[in-house]
């Protein structure tokens, strides 16, 4: 694909994480460097020919400290600067990057500009860092336009040569440079000698409407991961959390769970109380098909919602988003059965007329 080469304006938002670390020459300790001096630390940026401004969290946050408040802050920064820039690059720690990317995809309604999250496994100041390549290519992607329009107008993660839809990703490796995977959806682009975009996989808005940022999230969500031998006490303690509204239940295979009476009774009781339970698979790839086996069918009959091929990260943030907007449990269930921004694939057989 041939892209326009005119200068673009990019806002680089540094939230924290490994990519922003540099070794103190005197102490040898890794510390966050001032991204106002980004050009000095990454002189290669000058060759891109784009205008890059920076915004830095103060203090920078480790990814384990990122959450709804941080997501709201990022959304506000983007919304406040939306008309000034052609694209946005968010530098973020890797551990919770998929949660942030998923949340932003729901919170930035009518997004028509690139929001590219990236980071690194090694600090940008280290000799073998993957940070420079990730940063430079993320900026290139955020700036890429075709016929005056952004090529990738959605929230993505770029890491180790792959551009992935943010709400389809999970961190799959703690040690290697290819830390992220999108198991159930193809990459949107691959960066080799050239950046090759798979335009057919990119989400383009049907109509160009003004950005509508959202700041309402409900944290009364829990994850229930099933395992062989799980005790009634564990299930009951989670399903009886005061104020609980939604549960992402990680089941076996294509959506299966124990058939013990105590387990089914607890699930049914929770559903009757208005708790929305979303069934996602523990498998890295594949989809929930609750009609396939008896165990899954029983859950479906009780009112458990299929998460289809959703990641846990996407299901959690989607529930936070929907309940945050005051939707009833039934309304939340309806929206969980819909793809809002390309986060799930619903088989044709299950698409409602």
């Amino acid at each position: 694909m041939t892209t326009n080469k005119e200068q673009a304006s990019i806002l680089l938002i540094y939230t924290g994480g490994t990519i922003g670390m540099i070794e103190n020459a005197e102490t040898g300790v890794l510390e966050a460097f001032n991204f106002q001096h980004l050009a000095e630390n990454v002189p290669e940026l000058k060759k891109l020919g784009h205008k890059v401004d920076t915004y830095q969290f103060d203090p920078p946050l480790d990814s384990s400290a990122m959450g709804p408040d941080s997501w709201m802050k990022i959304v506000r920064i983007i919304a406040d600067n939306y008309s000034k820039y052609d694209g946005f690059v968010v530098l973020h720690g890797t551990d919770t990057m998929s949660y942030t990317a998923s949340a932003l995809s729901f919170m930035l309604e009518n997004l028509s500009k690139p929001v590219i999250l990236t980071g690194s496994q090694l600090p940008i100041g280290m000799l073998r860092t993957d940070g420079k390549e990730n940063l430079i290519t993320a900026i290139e992607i955020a700036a890429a336009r075709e016929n005056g329009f952004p090529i990738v107008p959605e929230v993505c993660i770029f890491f180790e040569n792959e551009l992935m839809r943010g709400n389809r990703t999970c961190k799959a490796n703690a040690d290697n440079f290819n830390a992220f995977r999108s198991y159930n959806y193809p990459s949107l682009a691959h960066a080799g000698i050239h950046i090759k975009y798979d335009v057919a996989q990119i989400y383009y808005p049907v109509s160009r409407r003004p950005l509508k940022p959202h700041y309402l999230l409900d944290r009364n969500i829990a994850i229930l991961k099933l395992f062989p031998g799980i005790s009634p006490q564990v299930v009951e303690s989670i399903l009886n959390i005061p104020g609980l509204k939604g549960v992402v239940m990680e089941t076996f295979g294509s959506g299966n769970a124990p058939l013990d009476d105590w387990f089914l009774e607890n699930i049914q009781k929770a559903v009757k109380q208005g708790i929305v339970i979303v069934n996602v698979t523990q498998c890295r790839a594949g989809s929930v098909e609750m009609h396939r086996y008896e165990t899954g069918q029983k859950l479906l009959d009780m009112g458990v919602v299929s998460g289809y091929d959703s990641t846990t990260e996407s299901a959690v943030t989607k529930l936070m988003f929907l309940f945050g907007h005051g939707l009833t449990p039934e309304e939340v269930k309806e929206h969980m059965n819909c793809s809002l921004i390309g986060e799930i694939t619903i088989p044709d057989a299950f698409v409602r007329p």
Side-chain angles (χ1 to χ4, degrees), residues 22-300:
I22 196 166
E23 187 174 350
N24 185 304
E26 296 180 1
T27 65
V29 174
L30 291 173
E31 5 178 275
F33 74 78
N34 189 337
F35 264 74
Q36 297 301 321
H37 303 126
L38 182 64
E40 299 172 18
N41 289 277
V42 190
E44 295 89 344
L45 288 180
K46 294 179 181 178
K47 297 180 180 179
L48 289 177
H50 300 302
K51 179 178 182 289
V52 180
D53 293 333
T54 59
Y55 184 103
Q56 183 169 343
F57 273 30
D58 186 17
L61 296 176
D62 185 88
S63 62
S64 60
M66 297 290 285
D69 290 339
S70 306
W71 305 337
M72 294 176 201
K73 183 174 181 179
I74 296 171
V75 168
R76 193 169 299 281
I77 294 167
I78 292 173
D80 289 347
N81 293 279
Y82 196 67
S83 62
K84 303 175 189 175
Y85 295 95
D86 299 306
F88 302 85
V89 173
V90 180
L91 299 184
H92 194 292
T94 59
D95 288 347
T96 61
M97 189 186 293
S98 289
Y99 284 97
T100 298
S102 296
L104 295 182
S105 74
F106 300 121
M107 298 169 73
L108 293 167
E109 186 178 349
N110 300 331
L111 181 68
S112 60
K113 296 182 180 182
V115 175
I116 313 298
L117 284 81
T118 194
S120 67
Q121 294 286 65
L122 284 176
I124 206 164
M126 296 186 70
L127 187 61
R128 294 183 55 250
T129 183
D130 54 329
K132 284 189 178 183
E133 289 297 325
N134 286 345
L135 171 58
I136 290 167
T137 310
I139 291 174
E140 281 199 77
I141 291 170
R145 301 172 74 81
E146 178 74 12
N147 299 321
F149 294 98
I151 295 178
V152 191
E154 58 172 298
V155 179
C156 300
I157 287 179
F158 178 79
F159 224 89
E160 186 65 5
N161 301 324
E162 298 297 324
L163 181 70
M164 297 157 280
R165 176 168 296 159
N167 57 33
R168 290 288 195 152
T169 63
C170 63
K171 186 176 181 182
N173 199 306
D175 297 322
N176 292 346
F177 287 149
N178 56 344
F180 290 87
R181 287 287 187 274
S182 174
Y183 289 104
N184 288 327
Y185 197 80
S187 294
L188 307 184
H190 177 79
I193 295 175
H194 303 286
I195 301 174
K196 296 182 179 178
Y197 296 91
D198 189 346
V199 176
Q201 306 301 336
I202 298 171
Y203 185 94
Y204 291 99
V206 177
S207 59
R208 297 181 66 82
R209 299 178 181 177
L211 179 72
K212 185 177 180 181
H214 294 278
Y215 304 99
L216 301 175
L217 297 167
D218 195 317
R219 305 179 191 212
N220 290 299
I221 308 300
I223 297 174
L224 172 59
K225 186 181 183 77
L226 302 185
F227 58 88
I230 191 170
S231 70
Q233 291 81 5
V234 170
V235 175
E236 289 170 6
S237 64
I238 292 176
L239 296 181
N240 287 290
I241 294 173
L244 183 67
K245 293 183 179 178
V247 174
V248 176
M249 183 168 65
E250 293 188 353
T251 57
F252 309 123
S254 57
N256 300 313
L259 282 175
D260 302 87
D261 288 341
W262 66 264
F263 177 79
L264 296 176
E265 288 169 3
N266 273 284
I267 295 297
Q268 190 164 43
K269 178 183 176 184
V271 171
K272 286 183 176 179
Q273 289 175 342
I275 296 173
V276 176
I277 301 179
V278 181
N279 187 350
V280 302
T281 177
Q282 293 180 17
C283 300
R284 290 188 171 186
S287 181
V288 163
E289 299 178 49
M290 288 196 286
H291 64 285
R292 191 170 178 183
Y293 297 102
E294 180 186 4
T295 55
Q297 185 63 51
K298 283 186 177 293
L299 295 176
L300 188 62

